[in-house]
Amino acid sequence: MTLPSDTSARALTAAVRSGQLRAVEVARHFAPLADAASRAPEQSGVAASLAERALERAVELDKSGVSGGGAHSFELLGLPVAVKDLFTIEGVDCTMGSARLSFRASETSEPVAKLLARGAVPTCTTHTSEVGMTAYTEPIDLPAPRNPYFGAKSPAGNDPALTPPLTPGGSSGGSAVAVATGVVPVALGSDGGGSIRVPAACCGLVGLKPSHDITHGHLSTPAFLTRSLSDAALLAGVPFPSSDGPASVGQSAPGNRQRTSRPLRIGVTVEPFHAEVGVDKRWANGVWAAADALANAGYEVVEVPGPYDAEGPDAFEIFRRTITRLAARLPEADYSQMVRWIRESGRAIGAEEAARTHAQRMELPGRIRRRWDVDAVITPTLAFDPPRIGHFSSLKPWEDFEEQTRWTPWLSLWNLTGWASLSVPVGARASAESTAGSAHSTTPTMPATSINIGAVRCGEAELLRVARDCWEV
């Protein structure tokens, strides 16, 4: 059976759940794609094929009788999904983004187990940066996946052999490439500072970072890369919004004071939060275009100041200390210079300073809400187009860290606060062939840029509805 490569996750699962397709039919289409992709990791982002396991699982799902209308609790029934190679799957080799760290997993990680419980069928694992520590994907002693969406001109015209490959972002870069090239309809990744939203912006995809609990110091949360808002809603387990008017917030909105139902109040800014950098005009214009579209749709849209008050602590320093302190917990291993530097920076932070940093972080959401009387804020996702592979890693570790921050000077706010955040393409859109076709598809001349819609007093469903109302502006 032949399925269009851009078939949505929602359509696939609906067909299997209703009995129009069997899970094994879907697996027979996507398993060979995973096999072929594993032999071309630079073009596909795939670390390892799980084709044989996928077919076996699909057969078991069909034998269990859960398809054909009896699978109400299996909302992802038969759905092929890629798994970021930081999440373990029992019996499968996991690299953690470095050939030096590779091991055979003895258990399945919780995010993958939850996918299995929802009826999904993992078909491949995907390359990531070493232990997920960078906003670009160049795994150590392993192939670096290439951006299939943004292209660069070669020094000698358009000779593909001389064209410098661009980064797909990270750390979920392999997952983004696998979705963008049609190997899978959706992919599991994680986001601890933009690791879902950056690759989504680089590859013309939707990246939803759900809200997460920061009480115990977590920056990262499992998240998904998809090609559509509808599929993002499906994977996040939230209703896809209807199209009758702008999103509104009532008294039950998360973190909101008591208000009657009203259209969402949307803040906009293109001023960087965490670095001094000139924002590329095209990326800034995407924000203003989205703001105009939302205003025309009935939203209240206002410009907002920076999120941090001058009297408060340096918020990005809170992020830096938090992420490096988390890296300090990594066990001894043969890490790259970059990860060693991050780990050693965290080990230099004493217990008292770490406790003070956590207390400051707990106060940060309240401080920001006092400055931002809005429900969500829109910024660019990136300050400029994806650079070539090697742009960041050729720098000294501390320079690398600073340059990544200049590229993504907004996103970590939503990891610090734990609020939901959504990266969505705006502007010129790629053709179906370039975003969902083969790994050798042509790149559009002017790819879409991307906006980040970050929650302040709302949740995932509201963000998806806002995104719907400025999609393809």
Side-chain angles (χ1 to χ4, degrees):
M1 184 195 73
T2 301
L3 289 171
S5 293
D6 59 352
T7 303
S8 72
R10 193 174 287 274
L12 284 172
T13 57
V16 177
R17 284 162 56 88
S18 67
Q20 292 177 301
L21 285 174
R22 291 179 299 144
V24 74
E25 291 180 278
V26 178
R28 283 173 181 161
H29 174 80
F30 284 96
L33 296 181
D35 266 345
S38 67
R39 295 190 289 272
E42 293 93 343
Q43 285 73 39
S44 68
V46 169
S49 171
L50 304 177
E52 185 175 343
R53 294 169 65 108
L55 288 167
E56 291 173 355
R57 173 164 169 77
V59 168
E60 288 303 314
L61 287 172
D62 286 335
K63 284 183 177 179
S64 68
V66 295
S67 59
H72 299 296
S73 62
F74 291 86
E75 71 273 28
L76 303 184
L77 185 63
L79 179 64
V81 59
V83 175
K84 184 178 183 177
D85 207 20
L86 292 183
F87 297 116
T88 58
I89 303 172
E90 183 181 2
V92 174
D93 289 341
C94 179
T95 71
M96 301 294 289
S98 172
R100 308 171 194 173
L101 305 178
S102 183
F103 65 99
R104 179 65 55 87
S106 59
E107 60 183 23
T108 296
S109 62
E110 183 179 0
V112 179
K114 287 182 176 180
L115 273 177
L116 295 174
R118 297 171 74 187
V121 179
T123 61
C124 59
T125 61
T126 52
H127 281 303
T128 180
S129 61
E130 185 182 20
V131 294
M133 279 291 167
T134 59
Y136 56 93
T137 302
E138 296 177 27
I140 306 303
D141 299 331
L142 293 166
R146 300 180 175 191
N147 193 317
Y149 187 66
F150 276 85
K153 290 186 177 181
S154 69
N158 287 316
D159 183 351
L162 298 176
T163 301
L166 305 184
T167 181
S171 60
S172 305
S175 290
V177 174
V179 175
T181 57
V183 178
V184 283
V186 301
L188 170 67
S190 58
D191 192 312
S195 287
I196 278 286
R197 292 161 291 160
V198 170
C202 289
C203 296
L205 302 173
V206 174
L208 174 60
K209 184 204 83 67
S211 59
H212 70 281
D213 183 6
I214 65 172
T215 305
H216 301 293
H218 298 302
L219 282 170
S220 184
T221 185
F224 294 94
L225 286 148
T226 65
R227 297 190 201 111
S228 71
L229 296 171
S230 177
D231 283 354
L234 173 68
L235 271 294
V238 298
F240 187 59
S242 63
S243 58
D244 51 343
S248 61
V249 168
Q251 294 182 347
S252 62
N256 200 4
R257 56 183 177 271
Q258 297 292 309
R259 293 177 175 175
T260 57
S261 181
R262 54 164 177 76
L264 287 186
R265 180 176 166 91
I266 306 297
V268 295
T269 181
V270 298
E271 294 300 317
F273 300 160
H274 303 135
E276 292 185 9
V277 61
V279 179
D280 184 276
K281 184 177 180 179
R282 202 161 64 89
W283 288 83
N285 284 347
V287 171
W288 302 124
D292 288 344
L294 293 175
N296 291 337
Y299 291 82
E300 183 181 1
V301 180
V302 297
E303 290 190 49
V304 291
Y308 313 123
D309 58 80
E311 292 74 27
D314 184 331
F316 191 73
E317 183 61 18
I318 295 174
F319 176 79
R320 187 196 67 79
R321 290 197 295 261
T322 301
I323 195 170
T324 57
R325 183 73 174 177
L326 290 170
R329 302 175 186 174
L330 291 170
E332 294 293 338
D334 186 10
Y335 300 114
S336 69
Q337 184 183 23
M338 182 64 183
V339 169
R340 287 200 309 271
W341 176 79
I342 295 172
R343 185 169 175 261
E344 290 163 5
S345 297
R347 289 190 162 195
I349 298 171
E352 184 176 339
E353 184 180 5
R356 182 170 61 252
T357 297
H358 183 68
Q360 291 171 338
R361 183 184 176 192
M362 293 300 101
E363 295 173 353
L364 195 58
R367 286 180 174 272
I368 295 172
R369 282 180 172 144
R370 285 192 288 274
R371 288 179 63 80
W372 281 354
D373 186 22
V374 294
D375 301 296
V377 166
I378 297 178
T379 71
T381 307
L382 304 173
F384 49 87
D385 286 355
R388 62 175 177 81
I389 291 173
H391 171 78
F392 297 107
S393 58
S394 63
L395 303 172
K396 298 292 185 183
W398 53 93
E399 295 171 342
D400 183 348
F401 192 87
E402 291 174 358
E403 179 68 356
Q404 290 179 66
T405 306
R406 285 189 286 270
W407 189 38
T408 64
W410 298 280
L411 304 186
S412 57
L413 179 150
W414 283 274
N415 298 92
L416 283 170
T417 59
W419 301 334
S421 183
L422 174 67
S423 171
V424 62
V426 295
R429 297 296 308 282
S431 66
E433 289 79 12
S434 63
T435 56
S438 73
H440 304 291
S441 56
T442 57
T443 304
T445 303
M446 289 294 289
T449 57
S450 171
I451 57 171
N452 183 70
I453 311 171
V456 180
R457 293 181 174 86
C458 67
E460 290 86 347
E462 290 85 0
L463 293 185
L464 288 164
R465 190 160 176 180
V466 172
R468 180 211 65 201
D469 290 336
C470 59
W471 184 256
E472 294 185 335
V473 297

